[in-house]
């Protein structure tokens, strides 16, 4: 049986347990599964203090020893439903058919559209409400501080490597990649164009000396190249910002590596190229990579942002890329059918009318009155949570197909 063991992680102080959208979704599943929110908070404190030992991950189960403040150790397990063989068949076919999905996984990334494409074929990659089942030697029948601490620690592991989630669902990394490679080869063969009618052999051999041989494919690159250091001496040219140029070179190298990985992935030739980013989108993307402060200032100035506006835009980009940025900046009016579906789903989420939030809709933005919570409907069909901080609406998480889930998540944080 495939199993991975991760060493105990050090205590964490001034940072969130999850930064990726899939790590945040994992923690939201914990909060939705636990009946007692105080136990989740206690588990978060345990995890921050470094009380979780080495974490063992295998299909359907995660295990660790978790210590109480007095040193008492408890074996804690969290069970996750494995995907069925039929689910894996659909998911592996989906990944093998799209080079971008393969490249993202190889880069230890799980873009939101991979989850959405999987859901479209009936495969839910991330756990939902009630999917994280606890077992602990402390005797608790629901999530206790020990299983909650374990879940918080796993969120940190998921941030680093989404293959941890796929192992929990039933497939190890090597096994999964081997299956994807085999299916990709079959897909490419099946979709190969018909060979041309050809020409007589004597004609081809007559001109063979005119045709240069094909070059060897470029090798894969483990990491972007190190940019040259231009700031050690005098500026390379009067008026040129050497630090900004170094940053642009490093950014270009990272993008080139990503494009090369996608180009070498099986079936790449059948994948439509992505849309060109706008000037503003590209500026926000670069600002999200934490450039030097003077470069950030120039990016803000170049696309018309103030410092606070750029910080909000970067936050939106980190949650959802171009779609997250559009949710922050675009205000538009969805069609009547879309609005009616949203009202039905929100009404169904709160059966108790006394506990239901009062909502005010303005275009694609729905605000819970009396709170600092809002959700916005994006043109791609997802709902994006926002929280009011300092008089401004701040992005509060990744987009969700369910408006009630997006709103409940941001209301829970108030």
């Amino acid at each position: 049986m495939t199993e991975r063991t991760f060493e105990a992680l050090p205590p964490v102080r001034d940072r969130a347990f999850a930064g990726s959208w899939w790590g945040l979704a994992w923690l939201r599943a914990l909060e939705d599964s636990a009946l007692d929110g105080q136990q989740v908070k206690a588990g978060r404190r345990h995890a921050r203090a470094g009380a979780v030992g080495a974490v063992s991950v295998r299909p359907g189960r995660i295990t660790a020893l978790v210590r109480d403040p007095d040193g008492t150790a408890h074996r804690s397990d969290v069970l996750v439903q494995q995907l069925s063989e039929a689910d894996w068949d659909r998911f592996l076919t989906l990944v093998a058919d799209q080079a971008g999905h393969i490249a993202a996984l190889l880069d230890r990334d799980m873009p939101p559209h991979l989850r959405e494409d999987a859901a479209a074929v009936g495969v839910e990659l991330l756990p939902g409400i009630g999917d994280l089942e606890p077992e602990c030697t402390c005797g608790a029948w629901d999530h206790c501080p020990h299983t909650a601490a374990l879940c918080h620690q796993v969120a940190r592991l998921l941030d680093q490597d989404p293959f941890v989630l796929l192992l929990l669902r039933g497939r190890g990394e090597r096994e999964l990649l081997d299956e994807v490679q085999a299916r990709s080869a079959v897909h490419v063969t099946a979709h190969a164009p018909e060979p041309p009618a050809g020409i007589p052999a004597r004609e081809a051999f007559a001109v063979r000396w005119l045709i240069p041989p094909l070059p060897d494919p470029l090798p894969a690159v483990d990491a972007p190249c190190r940019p040259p250091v231009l700031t050690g001496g005098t500026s390379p040219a009067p008026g040129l910002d050497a630090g900004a140029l170094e940053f642009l070179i490093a950014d270009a190298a990272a993008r080139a590596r990503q494009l090369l990985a996608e180009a070498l992935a099986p079936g790449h030739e059948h994948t439509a190229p992505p849309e060109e980013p706008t000037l503003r989108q590209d500026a926000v993307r670069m600002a999200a990579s934490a450039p030097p402060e003077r470069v950030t200032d120039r990016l803000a100035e170049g696309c018309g942002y103030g410092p606070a506006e750029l910080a909000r835009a970067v936050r939106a980009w980190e949650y959802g890329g171009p779609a997250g940025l559009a949710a922050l900046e675009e205000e538009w009016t969805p069609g009547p059918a879309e609005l009616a579906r949203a009202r039905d789903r929100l009404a169904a989420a709160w059966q108790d009318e006394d506990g239901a939030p009062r909502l005010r809709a303005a275009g694609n933005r729905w605000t819970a009155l009396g709170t600092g919570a809002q959700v916005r409907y994006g043109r791609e069909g997802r709902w994006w949570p926002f929280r009011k901080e300092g008089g401004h609406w701040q992005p509060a998480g990744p987009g969700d197909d369910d408006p009630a889930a997006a709103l409940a998540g941001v209301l829970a944080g108030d």
Side-chain angles (χ1 to χ4, degrees), residues 230-243 245:
L230 306 177
T231 53
T234 59
S235 178
L240 182 66
D241 186 337
L245 183 58

Side-chain angles (χ1 to χ4, degrees), residues 84-138:
S84 68
E85 288 298 324
D87 288 338
W88 275 114
D89 182 66
R90 291 193 297 272
F91 176 70
L92 291 167
T93 299
L94 166 73
V95 173
D97 286 350
Q98 298 195 37
H101 288 336
I102 301 173
L105 288 175
L106 289 174
D107 207 30
R108 295 298 189 271
D109 186 21
M110 186 184 290
H113 60 263
L114 173 55
R115 180 193 66 169
E116 293 162 7
D117 290 348
V121 297
V123 180
E124 291 295 339
L125 293 177
L126 287 157
I129 297 175
D131 285 348
L132 302 182
E133 183 179 341
E135 291 182 357
C136 187
T137 57
C138 74

Side-chain angles (χ1 to χ4, degrees), residues 59-260:
R61 183 182 292 266
I62 51 177
T63 305
L65 288 179
V66 182
R67 296 188 180 276
D68 284 328
D70 64 2
T72 304
H74 298 277
R75 170 178 164 146
S76 297
D77 294 75
V78 175
L79 281 60
V80 182
Q81 182 68 41
Q82 297 184 54
L83 297 180
S84 68
E85 288 298 324
D87 288 338
W88 275 114
D89 182 66
R90 291 193 297 272
F91 176 70
L92 291 167
T93 299
L94 166 73
V95 173
D97 286 350
Q98 298 195 37
H101 288 336
I102 301 173
L105 288 175
L106 289 174
D107 207 30
R108 295 298 189 271
D109 186 21
M110 186 184 290
H113 60 263
L114 173 55
R115 180 193 66 169
E116 293 162 7
D117 290 348
V121 297
V123 180
E124 291 295 339
L125 293 177
L126 287 157
I129 297 175
D131 285 348
L132 302 182
E133 183 179 341
E135 291 182 357
C136 187
T137 57
C138 74
W141 59 272
D142 185 37
H143 276 286
C144 59
H146 314 110
T147 58
L150 174 57
C151 285
H152 278 84
Q153 207 74 317
V154 169
R156 297 172 69 184
L157 299 177
L158 289 173
D159 260 7
Q160 302 167 15
D161 188 352
F163 280 103
V164 172
L165 175 63
L166 297 175
L167 174 57
L168 270 172
R169 288 302 204 183
R171 286 289 196 280
E173 178 179 351
R174 187 67 266 157
E175 177 187 7
L176 187 150
L177 292 177
D178 287 346
E179 289 191 47
V180 167
Q181 184 178 19
R183 289 169 185 250
S184 295
V186 172
H187 174 86
V188 171
T189 301
H191 292 81
E194 289 293 327
I199 60 174
R202 62 179 175 274
E203 295 182 22
F205 279 104
V207 297
R208 66 186 184 278
W209 58 275
L210 294 174
I211 303 173
L214 292 175
D216 293 331
L218 292 171
V221 179
D222 293 332
C225 68
R226 185 183 299 276
V229 177
L230 306 177
T231 53
T234 59
S235 178
L240 182 66
D241 186 337
L245 183 58
E246 288 177 2
F247 169 74
L248 289 175
I249 294 172
D251 178 71
R255 293 179 65 192
R257 174 181 177 271
Q258 180 183 0
L259 291 171
L260 178 60

